Amino acid sequence: MKAIINGKLVFPDRITEGVILIDGDRIIASGENVLVPSEAEIIDAKGYYVGPGLFDQRVHGYKQYGEMIDVKDDTVAASMAHLKHGTTSITPSAAYSLTKDEFIGVIDQCNEAIEKGDTNIVGIHFEGPFTNPAHGANSQLTWEFSEELCEEIFERA
């Protein structure tokens, strides 16, 4: 068990000082009045902000300080970069701007990572690929709809 102490906990409705208790890969308690068990490994947040369970449901990659990782090139590396900075769960985006092979590649990388269970990838987000140019989509990048291709993508995912 681990206890994150001395942090500013960020909740949807407030920011408060408190403790987060983690048992294995699960947050089991968080808040102002959480008692820390004597056997817990202590992690001192040193007054930094801590967001228990921050989820990003639409991730195309990661970019910070000149580092750029695109999900089509390395979905797991992008997810781990997000995890390093506090995003505990993500769904990488397979987008209509990708080629069919790149789109399928993101799906395959997500499936493999989920199966292994050693990343923060919890699903897949589809942005298209069948989007309607009449409603704001970038028409030169959208894919032509076919039931066969739609079935292939959903079966794979």
Side-chain angles (χ1 to χ4, degrees), residues 1-22:
M1 179 175 301
K2 297 180 182 180
I4 301 174
I5 64 167
N6 297 325
K8 295 176 185 161
L9 306 185
V10 180
F11 293 103
D13 60 339
R14 70 191 186 288
I15 297 174
T16 185
E17 293 189 14
V19 172
I20 299 174
L21 287 183
I22 303 166

Side-chain angles (χ1 to χ4, degrees), residues 10-142:
V10 180
F11 293 103
D13 60 339
R14 70 191 186 288
I15 297 174
T16 185
E17 293 189 14
V19 172
I20 299 174
L21 287 183
I22 303 166
D23 190 13
D25 63 353
R26 303 246 185 248
I27 295 172
I28 60 170
S30 60
E32 299 170 53
N33 299 313
V34 174
L35 297 175
V36 178
S38 59
E39 73 275 6
E41 174 189 340
I42 304 297
I43 301 169
D44 189 345
K46 300 178 182 172
Y48 286 105
Y49 292 91
V50 181
L54 180 61
F55 174 70
D56 191 337
Q57 65 182 12
R58 183 177 175 236
V59 173
H60 291 277
Y62 172 83
K63 184 176 182 177
Q64 186 170 350
Y65 307 120
E67 179 183 17
M68 176 60 187
I69 307 167
D70 194 313
V71 294
K72 73 178 169 51
D73 299 322
D74 195 339
T75 303
V76 171
S79 78
M80 297 312 284
H82 281 271
L83 181 60
K84 179 180 171 186
H85 296 284
T87 308
T88 58
S89 303
I90 70 166
T91 55
S93 285
Y96 69 92
S97 59
L98 301 177
T99 66
K100 178 185 174 192
D101 288 341
E102 291 168 338
F103 198 95
I104 296 295
V106 171
I107 295 170
D108 290 346
Q109 289 180 64
C110 288
N111 285 336
E112 186 176 318
I114 292 166
E115 201 171 294
K116 282 185 177 178
D118 58 353
T119 71
N120 59 339
I121 297 173
V122 296
I124 304 164
H125 171 260
F126 290 160
E127 187 176 286
F130 312 111
T131 54
N132 188 337
H135 298 286
N138 191 341
S139 61
Q140 68 266 28
L141 298 176
T142 57

